[in-house]
Amino acid sequence: MSSLQRELERAAGIIKKHDYARVVSHYDADGITAAGIICNALIRRGIQFHATITSKLDGHFVQEMGNEELIIIADMGTAQMNLISEILKDKDVVILDHHTTSLRSSPSQSHVLINPNYAWQSSVEKTKPMYGSELCAAGISYLVARLLGDDERGNVDLAGLAIAGTLGDKLPLDRGINGLILDEALKEGVVTPRRGLKLGDGKVRDLILLSTDPYTPLAGNIEKVDEFLSEVGIDGDKRLEELGEEDERRLCSALLSIAGESKMELREEALFGTTYILNSEVVKNALDFMRMVDACGRFGKAGIGIGLCLREEVLVEEAKSLYMVFQNKLVSELNRIEGAKGEAMKELPNIYYLYVQEKGITGVLAGIIAEYISRGKPVIVLNRKDGANEHGGDTKISARCSKNLVRKGIDLAKALEHAASEVGGYGGGHPVASGASIPEGAEERFITAVDRIIGEQIRAS
Ligand code: C5P
């Protein structure tokens, strides 16, 4: 039996012993779908739960869980292993995470940490990537949920949620264990593939107008969109699903060509390819599902996201309108940045960085800029108010870069973790996508440190 299988069975075994669980997960699409999978599996076993979606797991939060007997933490927890081992040492704790951090302690006896980036052997020093590094929290949660089912096919219908979570974290669906999950979902009819534009469902005009991933030079400009569609000869009022592959391919070529004229980094794979229909979910298009759930989390309405995962049809309209509000915010911020013609984005030897005014969009914005606008260096986005909470006014930071830069030695998780700790904050995440919170006023010192550390990473590789 593989060590992953052993750990999954340990996690399922611990969960089955309880009739109540406290579930905590992260507020993005992967975190919410991970929690959604776990909540579905618990309901089906008759295990009651209290689920909380949060942007961070700090000492206060961990302390508050001291009265629970079973705590399931998804999409976070690895970075808080020290705290968890100390405060929750007598509790059953299951952590389903895929974030990397500088681990300082191994889980205690009654705790299970399933993180594809770490293998727990005889000592903490021996941690090394072991299995399924492509897995996200929703994928890991799905594997646990499968073992919580009543029979061999138990909970297989939850695979669509795992796929949506994987899309949310931009991890490959067809590789490694994710490929096995996808194969199972296809075989069981849980999802159906579709070739076409990766724009989601809806009227062609609206989709192009509000699309930010893929991002095109037409985003936010209705006149340009209408002019473009009439040149291509496509009725903007038609729904994308009605077009068919040939028209979608024509649209794709035309979008690629105007992106090329605007020197935008739009690649065909970002625009066109295989998308998935989630046959068991209340929102059928996997991209739409993922984007709606993500928007719910970012607006502090994660309960609606969890509701979607629990197949509450009545929540679809509200989730859709949150997604629309989010896209409008994003598009107007992107138009502002592009309109400022280089004034908004600053360049240092090893990074680009910019401040945004809108809360809750640093990660998404950094991702779009790093992918479609400035691919040459990592992009760091800061928001002074975003991290503010009852414990103080933090500045929230997100960093993103292309995989190509990671191949050149850049690791944003390490860069942000170290730079944040130099200025009294904390950070971490993944080599291509990481985040940090730092005290207000420390921004320029932090940026200088990130630039220096990334320079060191490039020179060391
Ligand atoms: O918030 P954002 O989307 O930019 O986060 C990117 C990644 O960095 C996420 O995986 C998140 O969990 C991680 N992160 C972290 N510590 C922080 C902020 C974010 O590990 N303080």
Side-chain angles (χ1 to χ4, degrees), residues 56 58-61 64 387-394 426:
K56 66 179 184 187
D58 57 15
H60 295 267
F61 203 129
E64 273 175 26
N389 61 27
E390 69 272 24
H391 309 303
D394 286 347
Y426 59 92

Side-chain angles (χ1 to χ4, degrees), residues 127-154:
T127 60
K128 61 174 177 28
M130 179 177 58
Y131 47 69
S133 57
E134 68 291 329
L135 272 169
C136 62
I140 303 166
S141 302
Y142 172 72
L143 298 175
V144 173
R146 290 286 281 118
L147 297 171
L148 293 172
D150 283 335
D151 56 32
E152 232 176 61
R153 295 186 63 249

Side-chain angles (χ1 to χ4, degrees), residues 26-28 75 99 298 362-363 396-400 426-430 433-437:
H26 193 217
Y27 75 125
D28 66 7
D75 204 28
H99 290 95
R298 288 180 196 279
T362 56
K396 163 84 180 100
I397 294 131
S398 291
R400 301 290 188 270
Y426 59 92
H430 312 279
S434 70
S437 282

